Amino acid sequence: MITSSQAYKWYQIKHLDVLNEIEWEPFMSLTHNVQRPITRVTLVASHRKIERKAWEKHGGPERWDTYQIRRKIQWNKQVKGTRPYPEPIIGKLSDNQAVAKLQLEGKIPPDGQSPTDLLLSKYVTSTNLRQLYQEFILRFSVPWVWEKCNSILDAAGVFADAAREIHLGNALVMLPLYPLRTGRRQLRAKSSLRRRMADVLRRAPRKGDSNMDVIKHPSGQILHVWSKAYLTELYEILKKIFDRYGMEVWKKVRYNVYHTYDRCHGSMHFNSYDGTWSDPAFQWLAGKAEPGSFIHSERSRCQAGIEYNEVLPEEDA
C-alpha cells in the first residue's frame, strides 16, 4: 500500500485527481506526543495501481522510466547531493545493498560515484562515462541506445575507458534521435491486421533467400535487400494500420519492423576504421522522408512505399 502523500512525492499523482479511478482506504496511525497520543488518519491505495496510473499518465512504462531518469539528473544538478531523490522505495537498492551486490560481482564503483548509479548500467565505469550516460538519456530519452552502443563497442574490442569515451561522444552526434517505442494504444490481440503483420514479418527474407534483390550502391558496394514484392506487401499493411488505428498504434508497430530489419540486415553500426556511426534500419522508425533522404530509402523502391510515406507525419512526437 502507498499513502496519498507518497503517491504525490514519488509519482506526482494527487489522490483527488484519481479519486474515482483508484480505491482509497482510510488508514489510522497512532503517534505519541509528550502529553498525549495523537491518532492520525491518512488515505492509502494499492502501490501497483498508482504505479500503473503513472505509466498511463506518461504513455507507458518506458516513458515513465525515461521521465524518472531525466528528473533524477535534473534533481541531482539542483540539490548537488544534499538531499536524496524522492523515488519509490520498493525495488530500490540502498547504497549498502548496492555495494554488497557489486562486491559479489567483483566490481568497484569509481571514486565519487554512488554504487546505485553504477547499477543503472554496467558500462558506467568512470566519471566521464557517467557524464556521457546522462547526456545519452537527455538526448535520446531512451536507455536502450546507450546499452546498444556499448554492446557494439564490446563486439569491436573497444574496452579502454578513454577509447569508449571518444566513440560514444561521436555516437551522440552521429546517430539519429530515436523515438519512443510505446504509444498509448496497440493492435487488438484478435485483429486481422495484427495477424497479417506478424505473418509478413515472420517471412522477412534474409541474405541468401530467394525473396531478395541485389542492387549496386552508388559507392560501388553490392547490397542484398528486401525484394520489391516484399516491400510492397509490408508498406501496404503499414499504411492500413496507420489509416485505421492512427499514430499511437503505428508508433509501436514500426519498432517491430525495425527489429525485424535488424535481425535480417543489422541496424546500428560502428565503423572501427574511421569511428563513424550509422543505422540503416532507422528509416523504419522515421516519419515522412523529405525528397533529399527519400531517394535513398526503401520507400522509394515501390509505389506502396511512396504512398506510405505521404501519410506519415513530418516529425515524430
Side-chain angles (χ1 to χ4, degrees):
M1 304 299 283
I2 183 175
T3 67
S4 55
S5 60
Q6 289 172 330
Y8 182 70
K9 182 179 179 181
W10 293 341
Y11 297 100
Q12 294 78 60
I13 291 180
K14 298 179 180 179
H15 78 279
L16 291 176
D17 295 340
V18 292
L19 202 57
N20 297 326
E21 302 173 52
I22 297 177
E23 183 180 354
W24 294 85
E25 301 175 0
F27 176 79
M28 299 181 64
S29 60
L30 189 66
T31 59
H32 289 279
N33 186 286
V34 176
Q35 299 177 344
R36 57 186 173 82
I38 300 175
T39 301
R40 298 183 183 276
V41 180
T42 186
L43 295 175
V44 297
S46 166
H47 195 151
R48 174 61 66 184
K49 289 182 179 179
I50 293 294
E51 182 182 50
R52 291 189 178 277
K53 192 63 184 176
W55 293 356
E56 179 184 334
K57 179 180 177 181
H58 290 272
E62 186 181 52
R63 288 193 181 212
W64 165 251
D65 290 342
T66 300
Y67 168 77
Q68 281 284 82
I69 292 172
R70 300 183 73 169
R71 191 165 177 260
K72 185 174 183 179
I73 292 172
Q74 191 63 32
W75 172 278
N76 290 334
K77 285 181 179 180
Q78 292 176 349
V79 304
K80 300 186 184 304
T82 57
R83 299 193 310 277
Y85 175 71
E87 59 186 323
I89 58 174
I90 293 181
K92 179 181 181 296
L93 294 175
S94 68
D95 272 7
N96 289 336
Q97 291 172 317
V99 167
K101 184 177 187 298
L102 292 174
Q103 287 174 343
L104 288 174
E105 296 175 354
K107 299 178 182 177
I108 301 175
D111 292 340
Q113 180 177 3
S114 167
T116 52
D117 287 336
L118 182 55
L119 289 177
L120 289 174
S121 172
K122 65 181 181 180
Y123 297 111
V124 179
T125 55
S126 72
T127 302
N128 288 339
L129 286 173
R130 181 187 184 188
Q131 178 63 32
L132 278 169
Y133 172 76
Q134 295 178 348
E135 291 178 10
F136 261 74
I137 298 300
L138 292 175
R139 172 170 169 76
F140 296 111
S141 299
V142 284
W144 69 266
V145 179
W146 166 265
E147 299 295 329
K148 179 79 171 179
C149 286
N150 278 280
S151 65
I152 290 173
L153 291 178
D154 281 349
V158 181
F159 299 110
D161 285 352
R164 294 183 88 93
E165 290 163 13
I166 293 173
H167 294 313
L168 290 170
N170 290 337
L172 266 175
V173 296
M174 293 182 182
L175 289 175
L177 289 175
Y178 292 88
L180 294 173
R181 73 182 71 204
T182 52
R184 293 176 183 272
R185 299 177 56 205
Q186 59 184 354
L187 287 174
R188 297 191 305 273
K190 296 183 179 180
S191 166
S192 60
L193 281 178
R194 180 171 181 169
R195 291 195 299 269
R196 287 180 56 193
M197 172 59 80
D199 177 63
V200 170
L201 295 182
R202 180 181 54 80
R203 294 187 283 104
R206 299 171 181 261
K207 185 177 180 179
D209 292 351
S210 58
N211 198 14
M212 294 281 284
D213 288 345
V214 180
I215 62 174
K216 188 175 182 179
H217 192 268
S219 64
Q221 184 181 7
I222 301 300
L223 302 176
H224 296 262
V225 297
W226 284 343
S227 69
K228 184 176 179 179
Y230 179 78
L231 286 175
T232 298
E233 186 178 11
L234 181 55
Y235 281 127
E236 285 178 348
I237 191 169
L238 282 172
K239 183 176 182 297
K240 286 181 180 179
I241 289 173
F242 188 92
D243 290 340
R244 182 175 301 182
Y245 296 103
M247 189 185 303
E248 291 300 319
V249 170
W250 170 75
K251 286 179 180 180
K252 282 193 171 184
V253 171
R254 62 181 173 177
Y255 260 104
N256 295 338
V257 184
Y258 175 85
H259 292 308
T260 301
Y261 190 92
D262 183 17
R263 289 194 300 271
C264 295
H265 302 288
S267 56
M268 198 181 294
H269 175 69
F270 169 68
N271 188 328
S272 57
Y273 178 75
D274 58 11
T276 56
W277 294 82
S278 60
D279 190 348
F282 181 77
Q283 60 182 300
W284 296 100
L285 302 178
K288 185 176 182 179
E290 297 303 321
S293 59
F294 176 76
I295 193 172
H296 300 294
S297 73
E298 300 277 22
R299 301 172 193 176
S300 65
R301 295 181 52 218
C302 62
Q303 183 60 35
I306 296 173
E307 295 174 0
Y308 170 70
N309 186 69
E310 288 301 315
V311 302
L312 295 182
E314 292 186 0
E315 296 182 0
D316 282 336

